[in-house]
Amino acid sequence: NAGVMQNPRHLVRRRGQEARLRCSPMKGHSHVYWYRQLPEEGLKFMVYLQKENIIDESGMPKERFSAEFPKEGPSILRIQQVVRGDSAAYFCASSPAGTVKNIQYFGAGTRLSVL
Amino acid sequence: EDKVVQSPLSLVVHEGDTVTLNCSYEVTNFRSLLWYKQEKKAPTFLFMLTSSGIEKKSGRLSSILDKKELFSILNITATQTGDSAVYLCAARGGGADGLTFGKGTHLIIQP
């Protein structure tokens, strides 16, 4: 039973380029969450998605960031026109539906470096 | 704004010692508190606590929640070098789907 899979593990982009981060939830999980971890900071919630729906994007920056979780395939976190301040570790978590959805299981993260 | 504060931020002990990690929270309509262990990879789920005074145990690790005083502790007895990691505390409030995390406690176990 594979865990939450994120790829790539490391991503290097130049300022102004686009970054696409992918997350495949655990088998049987229909809820996906994205978090960002800046150096010396805790994980910060960004967005919560179910299949084909964004449920809560209260933690997403208003510009350049978007997320989707299509009916087929992984969830994608997209950052357009990256800037140096976007350099961070981006973690994805998934949970099953129902009351146990309080437990979120995390992937190993994608470390984004913007040059 | 929801807030989770962990202490200490770092801790160095010798193998065999017992450690207590602290987590205090201020979360609107509190639902649950979770502990994770983070090594150089994915944060690994340890415990979820929803009720005061009920200790959760897993081997040498245990945790308890105090909803009146708004804190939780994570205890590790007979520590081993493999316990070295960052321990994350997170809280979930009502109306919020994301977890609010503390900055973590960086625990180092020396042989």
Side-chain angles (χ1 to χ4, degrees), chain A residues 33 35 37 40-43 45 48 55-56 91 101-108, chain B residues 31-32 34 36 38 40-43 45 48 88 92 96-99 101-103:
Chain A
Y33 310 79
Y35 293 82
Q37 186 175 37
E40 308 302 321
E41 295 291 324
L43 282 82
F45 167 74
Y48 161 46
I55 307 302
D56 180 356
F91 287 90
K101 73 183 175 81
N102 277 303
I103 302 176
Q104 297 177 16
Y105 297 89
F106 282 81
Chain B
R31 285 187 182 176
S32 57
L34 294 88
Y36 291 85
Q38 185 178 25
K40 290 186 185 294
K41 45 185 179 180
F45 171 75
M48 183 176 77
L88 302 173
R92 180 167 178 166
D97 298 295
L99 299 172
F101 279 86
K103 291 186 178 182

Side-chain angles (χ1 to χ4, degrees), chain A residues 8-25:
Chain A
R9 291 293 308 277
H10 301 275
L11 183 61
V12 179
R13 286 287 178 265
R14 296 190 182 281
R15 279 180 296 171
Q17 291 184 319
E18 178 180 286
R20 281 183 179 241
L21 289 63
R22 287 176 291 278
C23 169
S24 296

